[in-house]
Amino acid sequence: MVKKFFIPILLMLFVFMLSACNDNGTHDTDAASEDKGSLKIAMNDWAENIAVSNMWKILLEERGYETELVQVEKAIMYQGVADKELDIGMEIWLPHTDKPYYDEYSDDIDLRDAWYEGTDLALTVPDYMDDINNIEDLEENKDLFDEEIIGIDAGASIMSLTEEVIDTYDLSFELKSSSESAMLAELESHIAEEKPIVVTLWKPHSAFANYDLKLLDDTENIYGEEEKIYYAARVDLKDDEPEVVEWLDNFFLNDEQLGSLMNAVEKADQEEDGAQQWIDNNRDVVDEWFE
């Protein structure tokens, strides 16, 4: 009697398992198994952009999208999104930094929500330098710094602004150009010995997750006001992929979150591995963007 009913039950279970799976033998409830098309994300060579773009590549692929990161300069990012050759550009600084680009392409791109607030360019010192709080304090303590400001690449906008700062504040300082990595190495070595140093730095940057730093007040406002970082989409992406636009509109990172993401990406052997590690450690933050 047991054998008589056992075989039909096995058959019913087999049919049920087949119906629960698609033609490829994967479950319909598995989002990654569902092919939802492809997306191209423009990625320019800024640390926060590399971090955020790699993170979104992983998150979109988890939800069934084939995602490609396209390395471009800022001008090409705008043009590519405007021409619909790129779907998303994650790095739009407004109202000041990207104004020339945005004015040229504003009618042909879809500017969406800001994902970070409070960008800043500034001369920066370690927080243990209690008596140095504004740019004027530098001149009064110039011997501490050997009359040097440690900068980055000579062509960077923060370097030309710093030259203007030196003139405006009548500082007896030389701006030393180097690379971002060389500047950070100098900063790290000085902090390790609690020695004085002043560098050109900006937010967002992973250095603020690694060290206790202080931005010097700029009473003449040479470096400008705080900005926001927005993302832009090709104009018809909201019609073609409304859920993607909704997810990205929900996306926002504060200082600590973005700093830790950048730090994870920079320390990893592979950028995507660092982004994956951050996602795994911050699922509560990430999940809110998809609710």
Side-chain angles (χ1 to χ4, degrees):
M1 193 74 172
V2 172
K3 290 183 179 179
K4 182 176 180 181
F5 288 102
F6 185 65
I7 293 176
I9 290 172
L10 283 176
L11 288 172
M12 290 174 63
L13 286 172
F14 182 68
V15 170
F16 175 78
M17 289 174 65
L18 285 176
S19 65
C21 296
N22 59 23
D23 293 338
N24 294 322
T26 55
H27 292 280
D28 288 333
T29 54
D30 183 1
S33 70
E34 201 176 333
D35 184 6
K36 294 185 178 180
S38 61
L39 294 167
K40 289 185 178 182
I41 298 177
M43 184 175 72
N44 60 288
D45 192 24
W46 292 12
E48 74 278 0
N49 189 271
I50 292 170
V52 165
S53 297
N54 275 277
M55 179 195 70
W56 271 106
K57 180 179 187 294
I58 294 169
L59 294 177
L60 290 169
E61 287 177 347
E62 285 180 349
R63 286 154 181 82
Y65 289 91
E66 180 183 342
T67 308
E68 178 185 358
L69 301 184
V70 183
Q71 187 80 42
V72 294
E73 297 294 334
K74 182 65 77 76
I76 302 301
M77 179 199 73
Y78 275 90
Q79 183 178 342
V81 174
D83 292 343
K84 302 182 183 179
E85 294 176 359
L86 299 169
D87 298 293
I88 299 163
M90 295 301 304
E91 190 91 3
I92 310 290
W93 285 49
L94 290 173
H96 307 295
T97 302
D98 279 10
K99 186 178 186 303
Y101 295 123
Y102 183 67
D103 287 348
E104 181 177 356
Y105 291 102
S106 60
D107 292 338
D108 300 311
I109 66 174
D110 182 14
L111 182 68
R112 304 298 302 183
D113 290 0
W115 56 265
Y116 177 83
E117 297 180 354
T119 69
D120 214 342
L121 307 178
L123 292 179
T124 304
V125 300
D127 195 54
Y128 53 72
M129 303 195 70
D130 296 331
D131 295 332
I132 312 297
N133 297 293
N134 54 63
I135 295 175
E136 289 93 338
D137 292 335
L138 292 175
E139 186 65 22
E140 298 171 11
N141 297 274
K142 60 185 179 181
D143 292 340
L144 290 175
F145 303 95
D146 295 327
E147 300 182 15
E148 288 183 350
I149 297 170
I150 309 301
I152 57 169
D153 306 273
S157 60
I158 194 172
M159 294 292 281
S160 58
L161 288 171
T162 302
E163 292 285 9
E164 186 177 345
V165 164
I166 290 172
D167 290 340
T168 301
Y169 287 90
D170 197 22
L171 300 180
S172 305
F173 279 70
E174 178 187 358
L175 176 59
K176 306 216 45 157
S177 61
S178 59
S179 64
E180 180 183 349
S181 59
M183 177 272 290
L184 291 173
E186 288 269 6
L187 181 63
E188 181 178 7
S189 65
H190 280 68
I191 288 176
E193 299 179 19
E194 291 203 8
K195 293 168 60 178
I197 187 172
V198 55
V199 301
T200 58
L201 203 53
W202 57 94
K203 281 189 174 184
H205 197 289
S206 59
F208 292 93
N210 295 328
Y211 313 111
D212 292 326
L213 300 171
K214 174 167 51 175
L215 305 182
L216 300 186
D217 289 339
D218 173 18
T219 55
E220 298 294 330
N221 199 31
I222 306 300
Y223 288 115
E225 302 293 339
E226 290 185 350
E227 296 188 272
K228 297 180 181 180
I229 307 179
Y230 300 79
Y231 86 95
R234 59 175 168 84
V235 291
D236 48 2
L237 186 65
K238 61 182 178 296
D239 299 319
D240 296 342
E241 304 291 353
E243 64 178 359
V244 172
V245 172
E246 181 180 358
W247 295 335
L248 286 164
D249 282 351
N250 292 337
F251 165 52
F252 188 85
L253 292 173
N254 61 30
D255 260 346
E256 181 180 353
Q257 292 162 347
L258 181 54
S260 63
L261 171 60
M262 294 166 67
N263 197 33
V265 170
E266 289 175 7
K267 287 185 175 180
D269 292 335
Q270 299 292 327
E271 292 165 349
E272 195 166 335
D273 292 342
Q276 183 67 68
Q277 180 187 25
W278 188 87
I279 291 169
D280 293 340
N281 292 334
N282 293 271
R283 280 290 176 184
D284 55 334
V285 174
V286 170
D287 287 346
E288 291 181 0
W289 307 333
F290 299 95
E291 292 177 352

